[in-house]
Amino acid sequence: MLAVVDGAIDVAAVRAAVDAAGHGAILVFEGVARDTFEGRRVLRLEYEAWAEVAEPVLQAIAAESGERWPDARVAVVHRTGVVAIGEPSLVIAVGAPHRPEAFDACRFVLEAVKDRLPVWKKEIYEDGSAWKANAPAGQGG
């Protein structure tokens, strides 16, 4: 499951996509909308993407993950549209025989998505709004 969807993400379905009898680890990452950014109160997020362009990027990222961790399965769903505070805008699931591969593959996929996926985020604040570029972890993303 590699998709850009308009509306809520079915987290259980993303998890189910990586489940396998030989997997001793299933890791699910949910990137959720937070209520503050740099001291400003965030009311909601709005995401835009062109799925026909973004989904091949997800496929490439998953293929790269598969080359590095061939026994792991990866599923990624990114949401577009309005995202309320606390709701996930990105869900990554990784199933692997062991936890180190699951964590490593998940981190790789997350950083690649943040760096390469053509998705645009608008933060709506109490006092205005701002478009945000994807940024690697620890850099405002």
Side-chain angles (χ1 to χ4, degrees):
M1 173 181 290
L2 303 165
V4 174
V5 298
D6 184 26
I9 298 172
D10 182 344
V11 178
V14 179
R15 184 199 184 281
V18 301
D19 199 0
H23 290 166
I26 296 179
L27 181 65
V28 178
F29 170 83
E30 293 182 49
V32 300
R34 61 180 171 250
D35 68 353
T36 56
F37 182 74
E38 296 181 346
R40 297 174 81 182
R41 184 160 177 254
V42 177
L43 302 178
R44 68 182 181 279
L45 303 178
E46 296 177 5
Y47 283 90
E48 292 185 10
W50 188 12
E52 293 83 4
V53 175
E55 288 179 356
V57 172
L58 290 176
Q59 292 167 0
I61 292 168
E64 291 167 28
S65 176
E67 290 172 9
R68 295 174 111 180
W69 299 279
D71 294 330
R73 285 189 188 167
V74 172
V76 183
V77 178
H78 202 299
R79 180 176 176 175
T80 60
V82 175
V83 180
I85 301 305
E87 290 183 348
S89 57
L90 171 65
V91 176
I92 299 169
V94 178
H98 305 284
R99 69 183 176 275
E101 297 96 323
F103 277 102
D104 291 346
C106 187
R107 180 66 182 246
F108 169 81
V109 170
L110 174 60
E111 298 304 331
V113 164
K114 295 296 282 182
D115 185 50
R116 296 168 28 197
L117 192 67
V119 172
W120 300 274
K121 174 174 73 172
K122 186 176 186 180
E123 290 186 346
I124 310 301
Y125 309 110
E126 286 181 312
D127 61 350
S129 64
W131 285 99
K132 302 288 189 172
N134 276 339
Q139 298 179 9

